[in-house]
Amino acid sequence: MTDTTGTPHPGTPDASRSGASGTPRPGTPGSPHPAAALLRTAAELGASTPLGASAPLGASAPLKGARAVVMTMGALHEGHAALIRAARAAAGPDGQVVVTVFVNPLQFGEAADLDRYPRTLDADLAVAAAAGADAVFAPSVDEVYPGGEPQVRISAGPMGERLEGASRPGHFDGMLTVVAKLLHLTRPDIAFFGQKDAQQLALIRRMVRDLNFPVEIAGVETVREPDGLALSSRNRFLDAEERHTALALSKALFAARDRLAAQQALHARAQTTSATTGRAAALTALGEARAAADTQAVALARPVDGPSAVRAAALLILDDAAAAQPPLVLDYLALVDPADFTEVPDDRTTGEAILAVAARVGKTRLIDNIPLTFGATT
């Protein structure tokens, strides 16, 4: 679980639906948002609620609406708030929104990274309440893993060994293990995750499908800063110069997207223009060399150039950033199938893809991605 994203905020719910369990938190003075209940234990969360009986956490009466859950590791920002607002909209005024805050040690390869991860629970409670959460479940490590790390874990399989999995061995096994556990504890009808962590989202969807979890998984679009940088809890570690270099990630993705759009527009034009080398020659004879060159380009346009052109457009930006000060150190740039995160072949002409990038700037590792559609004509 990590960061991300947005839909309109339908209104603020009544926090009394959180039930008597947990510790109510005082709202911000003057704030119109009711406080979210802070829940620390599985007992407070209402883990004994019978499976399939959508009851308020810690209460016996059934919910009239859905229960929606947003899983986070805390350090909440506007990306998380957008997830919570999407959950609020899905749950409706009679449903319930639960935000989990848990820094999962199974997802960290090095103890230093775990220790460095920001913990801002008081601020998280305020963000969650303002976005429409009814309760925040923030258990301790001992509460989630009583007796130490679990002996049985969920394996992410081959998909979990690619890209982020190759860079962070075991990360996705730890992520899926805690997500599975939190799904059992919270028993939501729908759970929201950000598209920014696209591989994580794909793996969670696969786990839910393969293991028959009775829950809908919803993805929410990445939220970005005005300059394009994807919102992340790790952005706070960047100084001004590092942040400037880090903008290359989103710039590379946008350049690739624009290159694909231009190429597909050119190809679509080729399908509707009676452009031939004979016509190009005729235009040349009339002295219209520029028009002839344009006609020839349209006639020769091929959609199969798409994947390689997309990668090249992004790499051009990333290579420049590698020479900057401070430099961007590229981990990977990959154009992958969203179903299994295998590389898209160069002859792909149609279908969905994700262009994903990971890099380090200074001591901070950042990831980003953008969805692409090959074969689109609009």
Side-chain angles (χ1 to χ4, degrees):
M1 299 169 297
T2 47
D3 315 303
T4 91
T5 94
T7 53
H9 184 355
T12 304
D14 181 357
S16 64
R17 285 196 308 277
S18 298
S21 296
T23 305
R25 302 288 296 188
T28 302
S31 171
H33 307 289
L38 176 59
L39 311 174
R40 289 293 202 171
T41 68
E44 291 176 345
L45 184 64
S48 61
T49 301
L51 191 64
S54 288
L57 301 180
S60 58
L63 279 175
K64 295 180 180 178
R67 177 180 295 158
V69 166
V70 176
M71 296 185 190
T72 81
M73 293 205 298
L76 302 189
H77 49 64
E78 176 55 29
H80 297 104
L83 287 171
I84 298 167
R85 291 194 292 268
R88 181 78 270 162
D94 295 322
Q96 188 174 58
V97 175
V98 180
V99 175
T100 68
V101 173
F102 179 66
V103 182
N104 179 28
L106 302 188
Q107 290 176 233
F108 291 82
E110 298 181 8
D113 289 338
L114 175 62
D115 294 340
R116 187 171 180 241
Y117 198 87
R119 277 92 164 162
T120 58
L121 182 58
D122 287 341
D124 294 343
L125 288 163
V127 171
D134 297 301
V136 172
F137 178 48
S140 66
V141 173
D142 289 340
E143 180 70 21
V144 175
Y145 302 124
E149 293 189 357
Q151 297 298 304
V152 176
R153 307 187 189 190
I154 291 180
S155 170
M159 195 195 317
E161 298 171 357
R162 301 171 187 135
L163 301 187
E164 283 300 291
S167 298
R168 305 166 68 186
H171 167 74
F172 285 127
D173 292 353
M175 179 275 295
L176 289 179
T177 298
V178 78
V179 168
K181 187 153 193 173
L182 290 173
L183 286 175
H184 286 311
L185 289 171
T186 59
R187 292 171 181 166
D189 299 293
I190 182 168
F192 287 81
F193 297 89
Q195 178 63 37
K196 177 180 169 290
D197 299 288
Q199 191 172 4
Q200 169 182 280
L201 175 59
L203 281 162
I204 292 170
R205 282 175 167 156
R206 188 75 192 200
M207 177 186 73
V208 165
R209 181 169 63 250
D210 287 354
L211 301 183
N212 298 101
F213 279 77
V215 62
E216 177 185 352
I217 302 299
V220 183
E221 183 180 352
T222 301
V223 169
R224 300 184 179 277
E225 300 278 8
D227 59 10
L229 186 67
L231 285 177
S232 169
S233 300
R234 297 177 186 271
N235 290 353
R236 69 187 67 199
F237 299 131
L238 300 170
D239 64 28
E241 292 180 342
E242 290 171 340
R243 182 187 172 84
H244 181 74
T245 296
L247 290 176
L249 272 71
S250 57
K251 288 179 179 178
L253 298 178
F254 297 156
R257 177 197 62 192
D258 294 345
R259 177 66 177 272
L260 178 61
Q263 190 170 45
Q264 293 186 150
L266 186 64
H267 183 69
R269 187 176 168 195
Q271 307 305 306
T272 58
T273 303
S274 56
T276 65
T277 53
R279 174 165 171 73
L283 288 169
T284 302
L286 293 173
E288 299 177 8
R290 185 172 179 177
D294 180 65
T295 303
Q296 185 74 8
V298 171
L300 297 176
R302 295 289 186 274
V304 295
D305 296 333
S308 59
V310 162
R311 295 185 184 97
L315 279 172
L316 193 63
I317 304 295
L318 296 171
D319 287 345
D320 285 345
Q325 287 300 327
L328 180 144
V329 180
L330 184 64
D331 186 346
Y332 62 77
L333 174 74
L335 184 66
V336 297
D337 187 320
D340 57 11
F341 272 68
T342 55
E343 281 281 349
V344 169
D346 285 340
D347 61 355
R348 171 71 61 85
T349 59
T350 60
E352 303 298 317
I354 290 174
L355 184 62
V357 62
R360 189 175 294 275
V361 182
K363 296 182 178 180
T364 304
R365 187 175 183 275
L366 301 170
I367 63 173
D368 202 352
N369 71 84
I370 193 169
L372 299 172
T373 302
F374 288 87
T377 58
T378 58

